[in-house]
Amino acid sequence: MDIDVRGPRFGAAVTTVVLAATLITGSAWLLAWQTLAFALGASGGVARSPYGWLFRKAVRPRLGPPTEFEAPEPPQFAQAVGLVFAVVGLIGFTAGPQWLGLAATGCALAAAFLNAAFGYCLGCEMYLVARRLTVRSE
């Protein structure tokens, strides 16, 4: 079942704010929260993430009906990619080195910002490239 494209973009906007706040404050707790959000989105799909729930309950009812839909698999894969960066960032912030936490969080922030501001999902594009490569090799 396809999903409303505005949901993942809303989630990316919230993620952008959380990751920016993480970089500004250096808070491992904020990054731990974002890691959990990524984990839920990667395991259950973006609709099961906390930001997907917030979009569904508080934002979507105030918007008009969706006009664009997308398959749920690319955004779910993007959540998994974000999870990897968040875990690496969390390791850097908690165990060191600090620069690792900053770099990994910064990369995740850049990807989230691209999706939130421009609707360009790097993780989704990675998913599509991987699908093309696996289909050709079969």
Side-chain angles (χ1 to χ4, degrees):
M1 177 178 204
D2 288 348
I3 59 174
D4 183 345
V5 297
R6 300 172 298 183
R9 197 162 179 187
F10 170 80
V14 176
T15 298
T16 297
V17 171
V18 172
L19 293 175
T22 299
L23 287 177
I24 291 167
T25 65
S27 171
W29 290 108
L30 277 175
L31 188 55
W33 163 255
Q34 185 57 52
T35 303
L36 175 63
F38 279 141
L40 292 171
S43 64
V46 293
R48 299 224 191 278
S49 76
Y51 308 147
W53 179 86
L54 183 62
F55 175 78
R56 208 171 43 258
K57 296 296 182 184
V59 177
R60 188 170 179 189
R62 290 165 174 74
L63 302 175
T67 58
E68 290 183 64
F69 296 91
E70 67 180 323
E73 294 85 7
Q76 185 172 358
F77 181 82
Q79 293 288 297
V81 172
L83 176 61
V84 170
F85 279 93
V87 166
V88 170
L90 201 52
I91 291 168
F93 278 119
T94 58
Q98 184 78 12
W99 64 263
L100 181 62
L102 293 170
T105 303
C107 288
L109 172 60
F113 177 76
L114 278 175
N115 193 358
F118 304 108
Y120 186 80
C121 176
L122 284 174
C124 299
E125 294 302 320
M126 289 172 56
Y127 174 85
L128 296 174
V129 168
R131 289 281 301 171
R132 283 187 213 113
L133 291 173
T134 57
V135 169
R136 286 185 188 162
S137 64
E138 291 177 356

